[in-house]
Amino acid sequence: MLDLEFMRLAFAAGAVVGVLAPAVGFFLVERRQALIGDGLGHVAFAGVAAGILLDVSPVLVALAFAVLGAIVVELLRSRAGAAGDQALALVFYVGIALGVVLVSSGSGLDANILQYLFGSILTVTRSDVWLVVALGIGGLATIGVLYRGLVGAVVDEEGSRVAGVPVDGLNAVVAVLAALTVALSMRVVGILLVAALMVLPVTAASRIAWSLRSTLLLSMAIGVGSVVAGLTIAYYADLAPGGTIVLVAAGAYVATVSAKR
Amino acid sequence: MTGAQDRQSGVSLPGGGDTPAVELRGVSFAYRPGVPVLSGVSLSADPGEFVAIAGPNGGGKTTLLRLVLGLERPLVGEVRVFGRPAGSRSRDRQIGYLPQRARLGGDAPVTVREIVSAGRLAPAGVTGPLRRRDREAVDRAIGRVGLEERASAPLRTLSGGLQQRALIAKALAGEPALLVLDEPTTGVDAESQESLGVLLEELRRELGVTILYVSHEFGAVEHVVRRLVLVRGGILFDGLPGDLPGVWHDPSHRH
């Protein structure tokens, strides 16, 4: 399996996303914003459509769109006093509507866009992998350096704000990291399943972990394990890789629920 | 020691001097125009004072507290904390705040040490691991509330009273000059409420920390607190708990 160049690239890109997605998802789940990945996925969809239409890198345009969407959600949540899910719904629908309009205004777009909706990890190129690795490591390094700050802002937002912690800045970092993760995960599991890789490993880990730190580390292990196992199963059983990866992650969640009983 | 001296306590106070720890002057506030929550409130607390703020739900006591914390701005009047406008940041005068029903993120287990460390963020900064000095401050705070043995235990495995102690340790980790507690006895059994009151008085005496304690019932601190402020739209009463007219007396109070 690993003699094949496309499988080696798939494992490399998948491993990075498998670690990054739960690491970022951890902070979203703890803030009860588990579904933000879905919302940003829809915004990224508009970005992919725009990228294909304008003949620029769809991943980079999707990244820019998702970052913008994430910042808008965060501003609406903290400034305008809109409830978190209403802010999310607004960005969610604008994204999907814009994507539909852009797709229908182009020609020959439809086949291409499916790669991003459902993932196409077996077609990632060498330059795709470099982009995923570079940005993925950047994202993980950011979490490593700001770990205590991000945890404080999530665990007790108001108490931290009163103490003078730059909570708004830390929330913005999480928003941008979420956007980055969505854009990088599109090719691996697809826009429709991006959020699953951010949420399922975290909820699985939180059932068996004994601290925040162990939850984070376990979720990263479950994430990368799901990608490796999912890709392997997909290769031998000739299944869709994105869906198989997420089903393995869902299996991990079910396993931790029954292990706890 | 006379009662008056005792109330101010002899400890060296951060800031000291004549500056009140908390001062509200002619403060009015409303969330919606025409529906005042507080009007014409003036209140001053000295450094090292332990003030219980009581009153009915919806009477404006949490609003008063949010004004002190700088989370809301007064429509009229002025709110100062250690001589500076409320909400302005000061590195040497930390505020330790225990929100009502402290929202502890999501479902992941958080240990006592992790939650207390989060209270050290402002002095320690948000990047990199905790330095030795900050780790020691966290250990001291955990020791203060008597949770050394449970430091690695997930918070959710602790009783309501011990969880509240962990949250107090979190507020103490930043070595605050002002400790603000909003309804800290919710979900805490009667016995733990008593020991919570004793702990707070101990912190006031030994650390010289000013305490604002907001609750709709004040049975837990009635025996330790020397100043009770009753709030309902304005200040109805301000004095010794024993001087409180019987009609306003807290029915949950036990002798």
Side-chain angles (χ1 to χ4, degrees):
Chain A
M1 172 172 70
L2 288 177
D3 312 336
L4 300 164
E5 161 93 352
F6 74 89
M7 281 310 285
R8 285 200 300 273
L9 294 176
F11 273 108
V16 172
V17 166
V19 176
L20 179 68
V24 174
F26 170 76
F27 297 100
L28 301 177
V29 171
E30 284 305 287
R31 245 178 23 186
R32 304 207 175 279
Q33 289 188 315
L35 294 179
I36 201 169
D38 268 319
L40 294 180
H42 286 69
V43 178
F45 169 69
V48 167
I52 294 175
L53 207 61
L54 301 170
D55 201 20
V56 232
S57 159
V59 172
L60 288 180
V61 181
L63 177 62
F65 272 51
V67 167
L68 197 69
I71 289 171
V72 169
V73 169
E74 189 53 36
L75 283 178
L76 286 174
R77 192 181 74 90
S78 65
R79 297 266 178 278
D85 58 342
Q86 291 173 16
L88 202 57
L90 178 70
V91 174
F92 197 112
Y93 298 137
V94 169
I96 195 87
L98 189 61
V100 169
V101 168
L102 288 174
V103 166
S104 60
S105 70
S107 52
L109 213 58
D110 309 55
N112 235 332
I113 204 120
L114 287 181
Q115 289 186 8
Y116 293 91
L117 280 178
F118 299 105
S120 62
I121 190 169
L122 302 182
T123 64
V124 293
T125 62
R126 215 163 251 284
S127 63
D128 286 339
V129 171
W130 280 120
L131 184 69
V132 169
V133 169
L135 291 177
I137 287 175
L140 287 169
T142 307
I143 292 173
V145 170
L146 289 175
Y147 174 74
R148 279 188 311 107
L150 296 172
V151 164
V154 163
V155 158
D156 180 6
E157 179 164 346
E158 217 158 52
S160 297
R161 194 183 293 279
V162 165
V165 175
V167 172
D168 291 330
L170 291 166
N171 285 342
V173 168
V174 172
V176 170
L177 284 174
L180 177 76
T181 307
V182 166
L184 294 187
S185 309
M186 287 186 313
R187 292 293 295 274
V188 176
V189 288
I191 284 170
L192 295 175
L193 291 172
V194 160
L197 207 51
M198 300 173 83
V199 172
L200 289 176
V202 180
T203 47
S206 71
R207 297 221 155 229
I208 50 173
W210 54 94
S211 65
L212 286 181
R213 188 178 291 268
S214 62
T215 306
L216 177 63
L217 294 175
L218 267 174
S219 70
M220 289 157 76
I222 294 172
V224 76
S226 303
V227 170
V228 170
L231 267 179
T232 308
I233 294 169
Y235 175 81
Y236 287 111
D238 198 18
L239 301 170
T244 311
I245 290 169
V246 171
L247 286 176
V248 171
Y253 174 71
V254 173
T256 56
V257 172
S258 28
K260 198 73 182 174
R261 288 237 169 101
Chain B
M1 210 191 242
T2 69
Q5 276 171 328
D6 188 40
R7 173 164 149 181
Q8 294 308 313
S9 182
V11 241
S12 71
L13 304 164
D18 301 329
T19 315
V22 175
E23 192 178 21
L24 284 82
R25 261 185 280 175
V27 168
S28 297
F29 182 83
Y31 289 102
R32 281 175 298 156
V35 193
V37 179
L38 292 172
S39 37
V41 171
S42 293
L43 178 72
S44 169
D46 289 324
E49 210 175 359
F50 187 160
V51 182
I53 298 172
N57 290 325
K61 50 189 191 315
T62 294
T63 303
L64 192 152
L65 188 141
R66 292 180 67 83
L67 287 162
V68 170
L69 296 172
L71 294 171
E72 308 288 351
R73 307 247 167 253
L75 293 180
V76 186
E78 199 182 15
V79 183
R80 291 186 165 265
V81 178
F82 295 109
R84 300 162 60 119
S88 60
R89 301 282 168 240
S90 158
R91 275 202 162 263
D92 51 329
R93 300 269 177 68
Q94 284 289 322
I95 300 178
Y97 169 47
L98 263 82
Q100 198 169 357
R101 274 183 287 118
R103 291 179 15 237
L104 297 175
D107 302 323
V110 50
T111 66
V112 170
R113 187 180 302 282
E114 283 177 330
I115 193 100
V116 176
S117 299
R120 189 66 193 173
L121 264 185
V126 296
T127 56
L130 278 182
R131 285 179 295 271
R132 190 169 159 202
R133 189 166 52 92
D134 298 309
R135 283 201 307 274
E136 287 168 354
V138 168
D139 286 337
R140 266 201 308 281
I142 294 173
R144 273 264 161 216
V145 301
L147 283 177
E148 300 97 327
E149 308 281 308
R150 315 294 299 273
S152 306
L155 199 66
R156 63 183 174 201
T157 63
L158 269 51
S159 69
L162 292 186
Q163 289 191 16
Q164 202 55 264
R165 280 179 175 253
L167 296 178
I168 290 174
K170 173 183 186 294
L172 288 178
E175 293 168 340
L178 174 64
L179 187 58
V180 177
L181 304 97
D182 194 4
E183 300 282 3
T185 55
T186 309
V188 176
D189 64 75
E191 200 179 324
S192 308
Q193 288 192 21
E194 292 283 333
S195 72
L196 179 72
V198 173
L199 169 69
L200 290 173
E201 169 57 15
E202 206 176 279
L203 296 174
R204 184 200 69 83
R205 205 173 52 236
E206 289 169 16
L207 303 176
V209 59
T210 312
I211 300 177
L212 289 191
Y213 178 102
V214 169
S215 182
H216 67 281
E217 54 104 35
F218 47 92
V221 294
E222 186 161 13
H223 302 295
V224 292
V225 78
R226 283 174 201 80
R227 187 170 170 200
L228 176 69
V229 176
L230 208 57
V231 178
R232 198 170 94 189
I235 291 178
L236 296 183
F237 173 84
D238 184 351
L240 288 164
D243 295 342
L244 186 69
V247 281
W248 286 331
H249 218 280
D250 178 5
S252 70
H253 158 71
R254 291 157 285 114
H255 277 290

